Each structure stands twice: as C-alpha cells, then as structure tokens.
Amino acid sequence: MAVNNPYATYQNNSVNTSTPGELTLMLYNGCLKFIQQAKRALEQNNIEEKNTFTQKAQAIVTELMVTLDQSQTISKEMMILYEFVNNRLLEGNIKNDVALYDEAASIITEFRDTWKQVIQINRTKMYGNVDEV
C-alpha cells in the first residue's frame, strides 16, 4: 500500500504546472540549495555528502547550459559564467574550499535574482500588478 506524501504531490504539481520561466527559477533555487548543503557537509567534514550535493548542483548548472537558447546574443556570456560556476564547484569539491562554493553561489544568486525580476516584469505586463514570485 503506497503512502501519499502531500509535499511530494505538491512539488510534482508545482513542476507540472509551472511556466518555463518559473522552472528556470526553480533550477536556480535548487542549485543554491545544493551549494549550501555541500558547504554545510564540508564544514561537518562529511566528504561523501559534500560530493553528492556538489554533483547535484553541477547537474543543475549543466542543465542550464544545455537548455540555454543559443540564438540570443547574451547566451555566450551566460555560458561563460555557467562554465565558471561549474569550475568553481569542481575546484571547491576537490580542494574542500568553502570560498569557491561562495563564488559559485554568488553568481547563481545574481542569475536567480535577475530571473525573478524578469518574471515579475513579464507578469506585470501581462496581468497588471501581481504579487512577487
């Protein structure tokens, strides 16, 4: 007998009903969550967990890279920054250096905050004044 998990159902519905822009925002938030978890694991000297969370963050960055619309002029600059973030995560994982994780998180936070503004502007244009994302 399967037990229903309301939180898992909510998460699944959130993903299935979100716009592409909202999904991108979820990716940024997920990446930041995994970076923070990797840092926490590193501080607790849990190397295996740190590695797992780092790889999850890297998988999200890779997904962002793969889905980047190459027809847009800004895509090349974004790709360079994504590659830099991936490198910082890789180096942070190898060197056990929290500062490298912080660099990666800083860039992803900038992307996330900018993306939130874009979503908000688009919603305002489409629907008038709306609550924040």
Side-chain angles (χ1 to χ4, degrees), residues 33-45:
K33 178 185 83 171
F34 290 133
I35 291 170
Q36 292 308 314
Q37 289 174 324
K39 285 175 44 180
R40 193 172 316 115
L42 175 58
E43 290 164 356
Q44 296 169 351
N45 205 30

Side-chain angles (χ1 to χ4, degrees), residues 5-130:
N5 180 339
Y7 182 70
T9 302
Y10 169 78
Q11 280 187 311
N12 189 37
N13 287 339
S14 292
V15 169
N16 290 333
T17 60
S18 295
T19 65
E22 291 166 336
L23 291 173
T24 301
L25 185 60
M26 287 179 196
L27 287 173
Y28 287 134
N29 284 330
C31 186
L32 288 169
K33 178 185 83 171
F34 290 133
I35 291 170
Q36 292 308 314
Q37 289 174 324
K39 285 175 44 180
R40 193 172 316 115
L42 175 58
E43 290 164 356
Q44 296 169 351
N45 205 30
N46 188 335
I47 302 306
E48 185 177 340
E49 245 184 41
K50 176 216 49 159
N51 183 55
T52 299
F53 289 129
T54 301
Q55 289 178 351
K56 288 181 178 190
Q58 287 178 293
I60 290 174
V61 173
T62 299
E63 180 66 20
L64 290 165
M65 292 168 76
V66 168
T67 59
L68 195 58
D69 182 356
Q70 295 298 322
S71 69
Q72 302 299 316
T73 53
I74 195 155
S75 295
K76 289 181 182 173
E77 288 83 8
M78 290 178 71
M79 184 64 79
I80 291 168
L81 289 171
Y82 286 150
E83 288 171 350
F84 181 77
V85 166
N86 232 359
N87 180 269
R88 296 290 87 185
L89 292 172
L90 177 67
E91 291 291 318
N93 197 10
I94 292 169
K95 296 178 180 177
N96 293 321
D97 188 342
V98 172
L100 296 171
Y101 285 100
D102 288 339
E103 283 184 55
S106 175
I107 293 168
I108 294 298
T109 299
E110 292 266 339
F111 274 123
R112 192 260 332 259
D113 292 349
T114 301
W115 199 250
K116 279 176 74 172
Q117 289 176 354
V118 168
I119 291 172
Q120 188 65 34
I121 290 167
N122 285 337
R123 283 185 180 169
T124 301
K125 285 180 181 177
M126 289 177 66
Y127 307 112
N129 286 338
V130 294

